[in-house]
Amino acid sequence: MKLSNTAVRIIVSVVAIPLILLVSYLGKWYFTTFILGISLIAFYEFSSFAKAKNSFVNLPFGLFGIALIVLNQFKPFADFRVLLILWFLFLLIYELFRNKDSAILNLGLTSFGFLYFALMGSSLIAIREIYPDTDQLYNQGAFLIFSMLGTIWICDSAAFFFGTALGKHKLFPRVSPKKSWEGAIFGFVFAIISMILFQKIFVGFLSLNIAIGIGVIVGIFGQIGDLVESLLKRDAGVKDSSNLIPGHGGIFDRFDSLLFSAPFVYYYLFYFGR
């Protein structure tokens, strides 16, 4: 008997969510490897649908650069600026010898994809490692990740269900015709409520105001991240970034909100929340 798409989505979620929470709790190389995998696969997906724009993303260079930045975030081995400068310089030199249609498109999309997934992925590592590696404090980074994941999932679910039931005003019809302002507002409200609850359960080491601030950030920028990915896919003429995850699409589809909101959450915590 063939399972429905909804059943497949539920089964995959039941298996995947505990594994994601486990690597988030363990942190260190476990979490770093997980985020590195997400960043590399998402870049690969991006490079695949970028071909629809007659662009040949430099896949090896992009993957190598993302790995450098993400791994350097966990265990610094070079100055961040040096890595960026050298990567861009050698990318330009390499493109001289490729002879693949438009050099401008190739360089532009390779650089965009590299920056997007390297900086967003490394920000997630920074959040997980924001507290010192001591027994009690280090686990607080895991609870931050738990709270972000839970808030994003609840925000997305609220936006979908309330948008479907009550949505009358289109949010961004050019990019995502089914999304509504009503759904976005409910997603935003539930993101804040979620972080208030998580402050009581997981992240009591944060003040209530800081937790609400994270809810605001995720409720706004998580949804913008979803719209940005929809913009890229619509421009490329694809529905999903890939079919890697049964019933869920690709890695970029599943982690777009988390990746996009990560830098905002990290710098908010760095300056106000520690």
Side-chain angles (χ1 to χ4, degrees):
M1 182 179 68
K2 185 177 180 180
L3 295 175
S4 68
N5 187 62
T6 301
V8 172
R9 288 172 65 91
I10 292 173
I11 292 171
V12 171
S13 298
V14 167
V15 174
I17 289 175
L19 292 176
I20 293 172
L21 295 178
L22 176 62
V23 296
S24 299
Y25 181 78
L26 294 174
K28 299 179 182 177
W29 284 109
Y30 299 97
F31 188 71
T32 300
T33 302
F34 171 64
I35 297 302
L36 178 60
I38 287 175
S39 303
L40 294 177
I41 295 171
F43 178 76
Y44 174 80
E45 292 172 342
F46 168 76
S47 70
S48 296
F49 63 71
K51 291 178 182 177
K53 307 304 293 182
N54 296 318
S55 168
F56 291 88
V57 170
N58 193 325
L59 185 61
F61 239 78
L63 294 174
F64 177 71
I66 290 169
L68 276 180
I69 298 300
V70 171
L71 294 176
N72 190 65
Q73 179 66 58
F74 178 59
K75 291 289 185 182
F77 50 81
D79 184 272
F80 179 77
R81 293 167 297 180
V82 172
L83 291 178
L84 285 179
I85 292 169
L86 289 177
W87 185 86
F88 277 113
L89 290 176
F90 281 107
L91 175 68
L92 291 168
I93 295 169
Y94 193 95
E95 189 65 28
L96 283 171
F97 301 94
R98 291 185 78 205
N99 192 27
K100 287 184 177 290
D101 290 341
S102 172
I104 292 176
L105 282 176
N106 297 343
L107 290 168
L109 288 179
T110 300
S111 300
F112 168 76
F114 159 71
L115 286 173
Y116 192 104
F117 297 109
L119 298 182
M120 307 301 189
S122 62
S123 295
L124 283 168
I125 303 295
I127 292 171
R128 180 59 185 88
E129 299 293 321
I130 197 169
Y131 293 104
D133 186 7
T134 58
D135 291 340
Q136 188 64 32
L137 290 178
Y138 187 67
N139 288 340
Q140 292 179 353
F143 299 138
L144 283 173
I145 297 294
F146 291 171
S147 299
M148 281 184 66
L149 288 169
T151 300
I152 286 170
W153 291 334
I154 292 170
C155 175
D156 287 348
S157 298
F160 174 78
F161 287 114
F162 284 101
T164 300
L166 304 173
K168 294 181 180 179
H169 301 87
K170 299 297 182 182
L171 177 64
F172 240 109
R174 178 175 62 87
V175 173
S176 188
K178 293 183 179 180
K179 287 184 170 60
S180 67
W181 276 104
E182 289 83 359
I185 291 170
F186 272 101
F188 174 75
V189 170
F190 271 80
I192 295 173
I193 293 173
S194 299
M195 275 306 304
I196 292 173
L197 292 176
F198 290 139
Q199 194 268 342
K200 306 299 181 185
I201 301 171
F202 291 126
V203 289
F205 51 90
L206 297 179
S207 70
L208 181 59
N209 287 339
I210 294 297
I212 290 173
I214 295 175
V216 170
I217 290 171
V218 172
I220 294 174
F221 293 105
Q223 295 192 74
I224 290 176
D226 186 57
L227 287 171
V228 167
E229 197 225 1
S230 295
L231 174 68
L232 299 176
K233 291 190 299 183
R234 181 165 290 273
D235 190 40
V238 297
K239 182 178 183 294
D240 296 318
S241 60
S242 76
N243 58 359
L244 181 64
I245 309 173
H248 289 266
I251 291 292
F252 194 13
D253 295 318
R254 290 305 93 206
F255 293 96
D256 52 359
S257 297
L258 181 66
L259 288 167
F260 197 87
S261 58
F264 297 98
V265 171
Y266 171 71
Y267 282 106
Y268 175 67
L269 288 169
F270 184 83
Y271 287 110
F272 304 107
R274 293 194 300 171

